[in-house]
């Protein structure tokens, strides 16, 4: 069969959510994935009986009735997919040279801890958190809006959002606080978008802290279970899924999308095509700038993509709880000046002082099969520049030369060395060590410049600065990190919204 109601390009969580929305409405849907496995950043991998997650370490809003919970529920997934709440007293540890604070499932607790530790800033903290909550409420109302009247009722709140839309987080923090240590403590979660306070959009930082401050959760069975549950439900609902099917171009007739052609030579037709690939790859490579009006081309050319990563995946017999680790993630910052930690990477050089993320999936989900009995997986992430790895981009995946391996291993070794602060003997006790680079992200998820969070979350690239679900081409919709934002929750939201829009467009035909 080559004719479908909807074709979805890419099977990241955004594409899977779009396809499942369409399939559950009884429409025929074809998912085309370029890679050998479905899932994009939620595709796990295995080494010697150890399973590793790539792009899910925690999500917020999974308490019963919360926004991400409702979306999974509406997709019919929650009979088969369960999430475990991480330490409510502190699932994120922000560790600085001589200070540490945890974020748990209460914003008020976070506020109180900071007031205790920075008493001279108490009044400023009260004012900041009051404003924080107002912004959070407005952002949530904006997400909930459906229809004209709801949007109009929101208008009185919009000035608040408009006021801060152009702010970096640093600009917001500087309006309230003096102590650089306090500003750093409030910037700890910035790693979730890979940006320091001087670049991150203030509204996104507030959105992230608020997202997690209602509790953090981990999928039981890891990203593998999430990916497999989506695929099973898609198949049960009659969807067709094809791997190793990279889409080469989107066919257009009279300026409208009519189908796709794969690099392997297959043609498929559908009145609606949803792309879960990056906006850059979709609009520049699969549509072609010559088919687009001038403004979207300029917008695309101006776009800046997020940072790349080096990750070290360790399978070990070491017992992380013996060193005081629990299911909390660690964000390690060797300086309070987070902007200067990121600066080399944002300028295309390696990080000088190693800021990194450390997580132990086997402590978050002790009963799943991440590791053989009694063993653990440890995952380390640091940020790394595309430029340093780009010279090897044209070499075949998994067969890159010795110089590439040397560079990748050097960064990986530095990261392992830095993590010994929390897990002494980590490298010596490792049974498996696998290192990824920005080229891995580019090769396995086709992200521009090995970016891990889609288009950067800087003030000019949030809200209308992103793409939303409508592309400049009729019949072509977008979902995933470039649509509404990077991270699991925004990608599920954009996928579901693109799927609903596709159903609406089919009804109108
Ligand atoms: C190391 C890391 C840690 C992260 N941790 C978290 C976390 O703890 N919590 C959280 O919320 N988020 C986290 N994220 C972010 C989150 O994983 C991503 O934002 C999200 O998974 C991206 O989903 P997506 O829908 O944009 O699709 P992607 O995962 O980017 O997948 C896109 C898919 O499209 C396919 N594709 C591209 N081009 C084509 C083509 N031409 N033809 C066919 N298929 C194509 C790709 O192969 C890929 O499978 C993390 C990301 C990384 C990398």
């Amino acid at each position: 069969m080559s004719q479908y109601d909807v074709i979805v390009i890419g099977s990241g969580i955004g594409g899977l959510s779009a396809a499942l929305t369409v399939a559950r409405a009884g429409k025929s849907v074809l998912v085309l994935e370029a890679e050998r496995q479905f899932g994009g950043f939620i595709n796990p991998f295995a080494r010697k009986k150890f399973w590793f997650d790539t792009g899910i370490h925690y999500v917020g809003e999974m308490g019963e009735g919360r926004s991400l919970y409702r979306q999974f529920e509406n997709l019919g997934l929650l009979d088969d997919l369960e999430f475990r709440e991480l330490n409510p007293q502190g699932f994120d540890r922000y560790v600085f040279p001589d200070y540490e604070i945890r974020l748990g499932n209460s914003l008020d607790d976070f506020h109180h801890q900071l007031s205790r530790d920075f008493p001279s800033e108490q009044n400023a903290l009260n004012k900041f958190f009051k404003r924080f909550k107002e912004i959070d409420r407005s952002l949530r109302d904006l997400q909930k809006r459906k229809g004209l009247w709801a949007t109009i009722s929101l208008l009185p709140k919009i000035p608040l959002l408009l006021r801060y839309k152009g702010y970096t987080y640093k600009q917001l923090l500087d309006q309230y606080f003096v102590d650089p240590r306090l500003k750093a403590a409030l910037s700890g979660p910035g790693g979730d978008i890979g940006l320091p306070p001087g670049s991150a959009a203030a509204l996104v930082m507030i959105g992230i802290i608020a997202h997690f401050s209602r509790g953090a959760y981990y999928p039981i069975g890891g990203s593998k279970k999430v990916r497999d549950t989506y695929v099973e439900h898609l198949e049960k609902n009659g969807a067709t899924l094809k791997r190793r099917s990279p889409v080469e171009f989107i066919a257009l007739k009279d300026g409208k999308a009519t189908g796709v052609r794969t690099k392997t030579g297959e043609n498929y037709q559908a009145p609606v095509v949803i792309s879960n690939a990056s906006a850059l790859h979709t609009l520049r490579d699969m549509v072609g700038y010559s088919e687009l009006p001038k403004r979207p081309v300029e917008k695309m050319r101006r776009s800046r993509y997020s940072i790349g990563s080096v990750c070290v995946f360790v399978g070990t017999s070491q017992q992380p709880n013996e060193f005081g680790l629990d299911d909390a993630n660690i964000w390690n910052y060797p300086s309070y000046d987070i902007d200067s930690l990121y600066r080399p990477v944002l300028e295309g050089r390696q990080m000088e002082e190693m800021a990194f993320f450390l997580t132990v999936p086997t402590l978050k989900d002790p009963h799943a099969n991440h590791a053989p009995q009694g063993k653990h997986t440890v995952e380390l992430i640091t940020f790394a520049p595309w430029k340093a790895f780009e010279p090897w981009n044209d070499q075949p995946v998994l067969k890159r030369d010795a110089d590439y391996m040397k560079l990748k291993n050097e960064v990986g070794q530095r990261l392992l060395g830095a993590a010994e602060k929390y897990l002494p003997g980590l490298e010596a006790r490792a049974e498996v060590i696998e290192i990824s680079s920005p080229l891995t992200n580019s090769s396995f998820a086709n992200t521009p410049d090995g970016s891990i969070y889609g288009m950067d979350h800087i003030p000019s690239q949030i809200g209308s600065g992103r793409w939303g679900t409508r592309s400049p081409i009729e019949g072509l919709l977008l979902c995933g990190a470039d649509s509404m934002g990077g991270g699991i929750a925004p990608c599920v939201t954009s996928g579901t919204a693109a799927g609903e829009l596709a159903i609406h467009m089919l009804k109108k035909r």
Side-chain angles (χ1 to χ4, degrees), residues 83-310:
F83 284 74
R84 174 179 172 271
E85 186 172 7
L86 304 180
N87 186 350
Q89 266 76 49
F91 49 78
D92 248 2
R93 293 171 56 187
Y94 309 120
V95 184
F96 297 94
D98 56 4
Y99 179 69
E100 172 173 342
I101 186 160
R102 281 183 179 233
L103 176 66
N105 71 354
S106 157
L107 193 63
D108 290 338
D109 277 355
F110 193 51
H111 178 176
H112 292 145
Q113 285 182 71
L114 290 167
S115 297
R116 179 199 62 206
D117 297 343
F118 300 93
S120 64
E121 301 258 29
Q122 213 170 64
N123 283 340
L125 278 162
N126 293 342
K127 285 185 194 150
F128 175 78
F129 278 106
K130 183 166 180 282
R131 183 41 50 104
F132 183 111
K133 286 180 180 173
E134 285 163 3
I135 295 174
D136 173 37
R137 264 196 302 276
S138 303
L139 286 171
R140 280 191 285 151
D141 287 347
L142 193 63
Q143 281 162 11
K144 272 191 251 159
R145 86 187 194 284
K146 280 221 160 72
L148 183 64
W149 291 111
T151 309
I152 288 173
S153 70
L154 190 76
L155 283 178
K157 289 181 181 167
I158 285 179
L160 184 67
L161 299 184
L162 287 180
R163 178 169 163 199
Y164 291 108
K165 184 176 178 295
Y167 271 51
T168 63
Y169 191 48
K170 180 175 184 313
Q171 284 170 321
L172 180 68
L173 295 177
D174 286 347
Q175 282 194 342
Y176 289 88
F177 307 113
V178 180
D179 191 329
R181 295 161 73 245
L182 171 56
K183 293 186 211 175
L186 282 161
S187 305
D192 284 317
I193 48 169
L195 280 177
S199 309
L203 293 182
V204 174
M205 283 298 294
I206 288 182
I208 287 173
I209 298 172
H211 172 79
F212 283 116
S213 69
R214 291 178 274 272
Y217 299 79
Y218 183 78
I220 295 180
S223 65
K224 182 175 190 297
K225 178 69 180 171
V226 179
R227 193 268 314 266
D228 292 350
T229 306
Y230 265 102
V231 171
E232 280 158 24
H233 280 240
L234 277 162
E235 285 170 346
K236 212 167 62 193
N237 282 281
T240 307
L241 294 100
K242 291 181 189 279
R243 288 179 277 210
R244 300 175 197 259
S245 301
V247 171
E248 185 169 27
F249 67 81
I250 295 168
L252 303 179
K253 191 165 177 220
D254 302 327
K256 294 183 193 164
T258 57
V260 303
R261 182 184 172 84
T262 64
K263 285 186 185 161
T264 42
E266 287 94 23
N267 293 298
Y268 300 100
Q269 292 82 39
V272 185
V273 175
I274 301 176
S275 179
N276 180 221
S278 68
L280 180 73
H281 187 37
T282 305
L283 298 177
R284 185 192 63 189
D285 306 335
M286 289 191 254
V287 171
Y289 283 162
S290 59
E291 301 290 343
L292 295 170
K294 211 167 139 203
R295 283 179 71 179
V297 174
E298 281 167 5
K299 177 173 170 177
M300 202 66 261
R301 287 201 167 118
R302 276 196 312 272
S303 294
R304 178 178 127 180
Y305 272 85
S306 65
I307 211 159
S309 58
V310 164

Side-chain angles (χ1 to χ4, degrees), residues 429-476:
R429 299 277 304 273
E431 295 184 11
V432 168
I433 295 179
E434 185 69 46
I435 302 171
S436 74
S437 81
L439 291 187
T440 319
N441 303 331
S442 159
S443 305
F444 289 100
N446 204 1
T447 59
D449 294 354
S451 53
I452 58 176
Y453 301 118
M455 281 161 63
D456 239 345
H457 297 78
I458 51 177
S460 59
Q461 296 188 165
I462 63 170
S464 57
R466 284 188 114 73
W467 288 97
T469 47
R470 285 183 192 273
S471 83
I473 297 283
E474 209 180 317
L476 172 63

